[in-house]
Amino acid sequence: MTSRAATSSGGSGEGAPVAGDLSDDLRLALRLADAADAVTMSRFDAVDLDVHLKADASHVTEADLATERTLRGILAQERPADGILGEEYGTSGDAARQWIIDPIDGTANYLRGIPMWTTLIALAIDGVPHVGVASQPSLGRRWWAATGLGAWTNMPGGEPRRLAVSTVSALAEASISFQSIAQWDEVGRSDDVLRLSRAVWRDRGYGDTWPYMLLAEGRLEFVAEFDVKEYDIAALVPIVREAGGRFTDIDGTDSISSRSSLATNGRLHDDFLALLSPPRRTEMP
């Protein structure tokens, strides 16, 4: 994932009510994803792709910037009263209804011609993500959801398929994705990820957005990472939640602004939290 500089805050909204029908907002989010796909794919794997380093030493490409500008232009016409939080151009407008955009999640992959990158588009209402679209055009995949409308994905050559998390209810049968050992080591939690890996059936690091979508499809039971900003995860929250999963930070707090994330199939969420809690030291008498 690329650099983090968000200013909005809020919860992941487990069980949070939302007023009104979100169908029009979801349709708009899907149209935004269509527009983003056209921009990102036009420059993907281009030999003359313009790439720069940002102040935090992360990469940004011309496609990141052009995609976010395109989406902001559409929103200015379609939802002029709504606010926007984007990775590349920051925050504008009212945050009561705020579109949260990561134009290319996985810029490092994009600039190397690796097809594992995603455009993320969310609508948060009073800080809670209620609409989410994750579009992965290089692989022809897309996932979307809105509160009360279910979570869905496109099937090659077929109709949209509704998503549902797995029914696995034992840690020893769980398949997990933990991003990278280095990421856990950087926050002093390498012991936690080792303990986690020993308790489950299978562990892998599948990348940025994709493992959350595998979880929503019922193929994984746990995804967690650190150093995430709102635009990295806001779109993922409704998809995981509407598929029947749970989404909190790594300590179980209902938040998208804690700089960590934990998504599970729901049945195992508390078990994973207990496993990741540091053991309490017993004071010697």
Side-chain angles (χ1 to χ4, degrees):
M1 293 187 179
T2 45
S3 71
R4 324 298 203 217
T7 58
S8 78
S9 61
S12 63
E14 292 183 316
V18 59
D21 183 2
L22 294 169
S23 298
D24 285 346
D25 291 315
L26 179 57
R27 280 191 287 269
L28 175 57
L30 290 167
R31 285 172 43 216
L32 291 169
D34 290 339
D37 290 354
V39 178
T40 55
M41 289 304 294
S42 70
R43 298 300 291 153
F44 179 54
D45 212 16
V47 295
D48 60 343
L49 182 70
D50 191 19
V51 182
H52 295 283
L53 282 177
K54 296 195 279 193
D56 64 357
S58 66
H59 293 92
V60 61
T61 73
E62 61 181 272
D64 292 86
L65 300 173
T67 301
E68 186 167 325
R69 287 196 302 268
T70 296
L71 300 186
R72 284 177 175 271
I74 295 170
L75 288 169
Q77 298 247 344
E78 299 282 344
R79 297 287 192 276
D82 291 355
I84 302 174
L85 165 61
E87 177 176 8
E88 307 305 340
Y89 292 103
T91 304
S92 61
D94 185 359
R97 275 179 51 95
Q98 185 180 60
W99 294 87
I100 304 177
I101 299 166
D102 192 341
I104 300 178
D105 184 53
T107 297
N109 284 341
Y110 185 91
L111 64 88
R112 294 293 295 271
I114 298 170
M116 299 304 295
W117 50 270
T118 315
T119 294
L120 299 175
I121 300 164
L123 172 64
I125 301 172
D126 296 326
V128 176
H130 283 289
V131 174
V133 176
S135 191
Q136 203 171 67
S138 57
L139 296 179
R141 294 300 309 276
R142 185 179 291 182
W143 301 263
W144 62 94
T147 300
L149 299 177
W152 304 82
T153 189
N154 63 327
M155 299 302 293
E159 293 298 314
R161 177 172 66 86
R162 190 159 189 164
L163 302 178
V165 296
S166 80
T167 58
V168 171
S169 58
L171 289 176
E173 298 173 6
S175 184
I176 70 169
S177 179
F178 55 78
Q179 188 59 274
S180 72
I181 291 175
Q183 191 187 75
W184 288 65
D185 192 42
E186 287 171 1
V187 294
R189 300 191 69 159
S190 55
D191 288 346
D192 289 350
V193 77
L194 287 174
R195 186 166 62 254
L196 176 66
S197 69
R198 291 167 182 154
V200 300
W201 167 54
R202 195 164 187 263
D203 61 271
R204 292 291 186 273
Y206 290 110
D208 299 322
T209 294
W210 195 40
Y212 294 92
M213 302 301 96
L214 292 174
L215 185 143
E217 291 179 355
R219 308 182 198 281
L220 296 176
E221 282 69 55
F222 167 103
V223 184
E225 58 181 321
F226 297 92
D227 192 30
V228 288
K229 299 297 188 291
E230 288 88 335
Y231 44 71
D232 295 309
I233 58 175
L236 313 179
V237 171
I239 298 171
V240 168
R241 188 179 63 224
E242 285 294 306
R246 284 185 63 188
F247 205 117
T248 66
D249 71 10
I250 201 72
D251 297 315
T253 302
D254 179 15
S255 173
I256 62 168
S257 59
S258 302
R259 304 303 181 250
S260 67
S261 60
L262 169 59
T264 74
N265 69 342
R267 293 169 182 251
L268 288 171
H269 203 88
D270 291 337
D271 291 333
F272 279 120
L273 285 173
L275 184 65
L276 291 170
S277 298
R280 293 183 179 179
R281 293 183 178 179
T282 303
E283 296 293 334
M284 296 295 292

